[in-house]
């Protein structure tokens, strides 16, 4: 292995204007990779977390939240492009409900809390080098959301590394593809390199509520904030009970050697432990990627560690062009922001209702959210319709015809069907839905063709 790989990577990052703290963080992980480490966390090194406090059992607010709200900032991770759905722009600008985008709804949620509580409550976006311009332009249509801190900061970037030599990869057809984001664990580094952490602390902000912009269920809950402030918790992760649908997602566990809470992702699991990783009875809780931070505590930990938190490394093997499997294999070095639970003494986890975890990762999720299964309340919360009388909605659309957003929209030209009384919708084939279609119970549509306007679907429908 050539010792020049790290030097070449550092030079490339400096030439691109990447801050020195971000370069030092990248070098920390590069050296681990070069030494043969892959960031694995075997089952033998951990033990299950049997129980955590429940948000439903938290005491009602005794004034702690009221005192903390004016010192709180809402941070939304906004670097995603929705590439899995064929998008090329900021995912948060996708229309999701009642003609509103993710960002529109988030702005409404924040403004409503400001109005009701009489507090500052800034909204700050962590953008990627792809999403910043479009997202800030969209925010200009909401001048009332402006605050006393900048509206965004930008996550860092790092070179993709050739699998064979660990040198920064070259890709002349599209040099932008030579770079990758370092995962949302870069939140902490980017807060420092952008100056945002210093600005927030200088202006009297103590707490941060952090969540993904595509998860409209993650709304600042004053009762949780009150508990965080009252108990002086430095880091809090919202978790939910795992179901069969969550077997592959990162789960909460405890490090055997010192009892510290840690997060384990699938990419950190040795092959021989895959079955244990997916055992939802053994590992009961998954990370919703919604966090609460004490910014002073974060500043102290960063200072102790020279601004390199040293989160567990995640090594992702991909191709330099994700759309071309024949392009050169590369490593992308990433970290997960929830993994910071392992570096804060006194960090806690809190079980929350499933309703606080409703991300849109696929067009299946998007159809459910756009439908009448969910409603937008006056305070801009997205909740299950009170008219729904059945269990959770499951949508499974044929990926050959619905995976990409343009294809999906073309097959629902008059909007989604009514799903408020639908438990399961499965579509196999190229099906175009007319206006006012109603789905009830378990629905399966097979074949190619069109569903006529006003049709009521129950059971199996086979098209010619």
């Amino acid at each position: 292995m050539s010792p020049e790989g790290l030097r070449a990577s550092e030079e490339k990052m400096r030439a691109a204007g990447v801050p020195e703290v971000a370069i030092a963080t990248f070098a920390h992980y590069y050296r681990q990779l070069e030494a043969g480490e892959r960031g694995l966390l075997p089952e033998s090194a951990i033990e299950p977390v049997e129980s955590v406090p429940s948000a439903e059992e938290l005491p009602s607010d005794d004034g702690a939240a009221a005192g903390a709200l004016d010192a709180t900032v809402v941070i939304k991770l906004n670097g995603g492009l929705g590439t899995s759905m064929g998008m090329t722009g900021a995912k948060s600008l996708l229309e999701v409900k009642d003609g509103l985008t993710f960002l529109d709804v988030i702005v409404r949620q924040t403004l409503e809390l400001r109005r009701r509580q009489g507090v500052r409550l800034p909204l700050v976006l962590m953008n990627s080098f792809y999403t910043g311009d479009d997202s800030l332009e969209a925010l200009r249509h909401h001048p009332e959301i402006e605050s006393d801190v900048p509206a965004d900061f930008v996550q860092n970037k790092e070179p993709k590394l050739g699998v064979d030599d660990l040198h920064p990869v070259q890709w002349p057809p599209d040099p932008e593809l030579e770079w990758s984001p370092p995962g949302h664990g870069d939140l902490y580094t980017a807060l420092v390199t952008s100056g945002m952490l210093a600005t927030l602390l200088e202006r009297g902000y103590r707490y941060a509520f952090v969540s993904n912009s595509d998860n409209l269920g993650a709304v600042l809950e004053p009762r949780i904030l009150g508990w965080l402030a009252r108990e002086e918790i430095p880091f809090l992760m919202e978790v939910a009970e795992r179901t069969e649908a969550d077997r592959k997602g990162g789960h909460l566990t405890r490090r055997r050697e010192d009892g510290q809470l840690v997060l384990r992702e699938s990419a950190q699991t040795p092959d021989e432990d895959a079955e244990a990783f997916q055992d939802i009875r053994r590992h009961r809780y998954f990370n919703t990627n919604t966090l609460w931070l004490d910014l002073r505590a974060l500043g102290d930990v960063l200072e102790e560690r020279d601004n390199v938190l040293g989160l567990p490394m995640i090594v992702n093997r991909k191709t330099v062009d994700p759309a071309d499997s024949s392009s050169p294999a590369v490593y992308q070095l990433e970290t997960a922001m929830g993994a910071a639970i392992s570096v804060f003494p006194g960090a806690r986890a809190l079980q929350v209702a499933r309703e606080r975890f409703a991300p849109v990762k696929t067009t299946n999720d998007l159809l459910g959210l756009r439908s009448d299964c969910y409603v937008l309340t006056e305070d801009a919360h997205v909740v299950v319709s009170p008219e729904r009388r059945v269990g959770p909605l499951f949508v499974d659309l044929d990926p050959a015809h619905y995976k990409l957003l343009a294809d999906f929209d073309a097959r629902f030209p008059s909007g989604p069907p009514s799903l408020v009384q639908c438990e399961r919708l499965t579509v196999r084939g190229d099906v175009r839905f007319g206006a006012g279609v109603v789905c009830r119970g378990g629905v399966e549509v097979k074949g190619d063709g069109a569903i006529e306007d006003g049709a009521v679907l129950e059971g199996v429908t086979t098209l010619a």
Side-chain angles (χ1 to χ4, degrees):
M1 198 72 65
S2 169
E4 296 300 314
L6 176 55
R7 182 180 303 173
S9 298
E10 291 174 329
E11 290 175 354
K12 180 169 184 162
M13 294 174 81
R14 288 192 181 96
V18 177
E20 287 299 319
V21 169
I23 295 174
T25 299
F26 171 81
H28 171 82
Y29 295 110
Y30 185 99
R31 293 187 183 100
Q32 292 182 29
L33 180 70
E34 191 175 38
E37 296 182 30
R38 294 297 179 266
L40 299 180
L41 185 59
E43 193 72 17
S44 60
I46 60 176
E47 55 189 15
V49 174
E50 300 293 342
S51 64
V52 298
S54 169
E56 296 179 357
E57 299 171 358
L58 293 181
S60 57
D61 180 42
D62 59 3
L69 267 169
D70 198 53
T72 299
V73 56
V74 173
I75 299 177
K76 292 291 182 177
L77 305 186
N78 196 56
L81 294 176
T83 51
S84 64
M85 293 188 286
M87 296 179 61
T88 56
K91 185 179 180 181
S92 63
L93 303 184
L94 173 63
E95 181 181 322
V96 289
K97 196 71 186 169
D98 299 346
L100 303 174
T101 66
F102 284 109
L103 195 54
D104 291 331
V105 175
I106 290 166
V107 167
R108 287 193 179 189
Q109 291 172 345
T110 308
L111 291 175
E112 186 62 22
L113 267 170
R114 277 190 195 174
R115 184 187 68 79
R116 292 190 177 194
Q117 302 290 341
V119 292
R120 296 181 292 174
L121 198 64
L123 171 63
V124 174
L125 306 179
M126 183 174 85
N127 282 314
S128 68
F129 43 94
Y130 292 117
T131 62
D133 291 344
D134 289 347
S135 298
L136 291 179
E137 179 61 33
L139 281 183
R140 292 188 185 98
H141 296 288
H142 300 282
E144 66 277 20
I145 198 63
E146 292 182 5
S147 69
D148 60 346
V149 299
D152 85 326
F153 61 103
V154 180
Q155 68 183 114
N156 296 293
K157 62 181 182 178
E158 62 186 25
K160 298 176 183 177
L161 302 172
V163 166
D164 294 333
D165 60 6
L166 299 189
H167 275 64
V169 71
Q170 303 292 319
W171 193 242
D174 187 353
E176 283 295 317
L177 292 178
E178 298 171 7
W179 298 91
S180 69
H184 42 64
D186 185 59
L187 166 72
Y188 312 105
T189 305
L191 279 169
V192 173
T193 57
S194 66
M196 180 62 75
L197 180 59
T199 297
L200 290 171
L201 291 171
E202 287 168 4
R203 296 184 182 171
Y205 293 100
R206 172 75 183 271
Y207 306 103
F209 173 66
V210 187
S211 62
N212 291 37
S213 63
D214 68 354
N215 180 15
L216 295 179
V219 181
L220 191 153
E221 171 52 59
R223 193 163 66 154
I224 298 177
L225 176 61
W227 183 62
L228 182 87
R230 189 167 50 249
E231 298 290 323
E232 298 186 344
I233 299 169
F235 181 102
L236 178 65
M237 173 192 291
E238 292 190 17
V239 299
E241 194 115 26
R242 292 172 91 193
T243 68
E244 286 297 324
D246 310 306
R247 294 172 69 235
K248 297 183 179 180
H251 68 77
L252 182 70
T253 188
R254 196 180 300 278
R255 198 161 51 209
R256 194 179 293 276
E257 65 178 4
D258 59 2
Q260 178 70 37
L261 290 174
V262 296
L263 173 67
R264 182 170 70 163
E265 303 282 356
S266 60
Q268 297 171 281
T269 306
D271 292 341
E272 60 270 22
D273 291 334
E275 184 176 346
F277 176 89
Q278 296 185 25
D279 186 343
I280 64 175
R281 290 174 298 278
R282 176 173 174 79
H283 296 296
R284 295 180 54 195
Y285 304 104
F286 75 90
N287 169 33
T288 67
N289 222 38
T290 296
L291 307 176
W292 302 75
L293 306 174
D294 181 326
L295 295 174
R296 292 182 194 169
L298 174 61
D300 291 343
V301 170
L302 284 165
E303 184 175 359
E304 292 170 5
R305 297 178 173 226
D306 293 327
N307 290 322
V308 180
L309 278 186
L311 303 180
M313 176 177 64
I314 299 173
V315 180
N316 272 326
R317 180 168 175 154
K318 300 189 176 182
T319 54
V320 62
D321 183 348
D324 181 3
S325 60
S326 67
S327 61
V330 296
Y331 288 131
Q332 294 180 197
L333 305 185
E334 301 178 10
T335 57
M337 74 173 185
I341 196 170
S342 66
V343 303
F344 285 89
R348 304 284 295 274
L350 182 71
Q351 183 178 352
V352 297
R354 189 79 186 202
E355 288 73 21
R356 289 184 62 81
F357 181 70
V360 174
K361 301 301 183 186
T362 66
T363 53
N364 294 332
D365 303 325
L366 182 60
L367 183 68
L369 183 57
R370 284 183 176 178
S371 78
D372 56 0
C373 180
Y374 292 90
V375 296
L376 191 65
T377 65
E378 289 185 1
D379 54 0
H381 288 202
V382 177
V383 300
V384 174
S385 169
E387 297 181 9
R388 189 167 176 80
R389 299 289 183 266
V390 294
L393 175 66
F394 180 83
V395 176
D396 183 13
L397 303 174
D398 191 330
H401 303 289
Y402 296 89
K403 180 180 179 179
L404 302 182
L405 185 63
D407 295 337
F408 168 85
D409 284 338
R411 286 159 177 79
F412 296 101
S414 300
S418 171
L419 300 178
V420 69
Q421 296 306 328
C422 180
E423 290 183 280
R424 184 183 187 96
L425 172 62
T426 302
V427 179
R428 286 294 173 266
D430 185 359
V431 181
R432 183 180 183 276
F433 284 73
V437 175
V438 176
C439 298
R440 293 178 182 160
V443 174
E444 181 178 2
V445 182
K446 299 187 294 185
D448 299 334
I451 303 295
E452 62 184 18
D453 294 352
V456 177
L457 304 181
E458 297 179 277
V460 179
T461 299
T462 302
L463 301 176

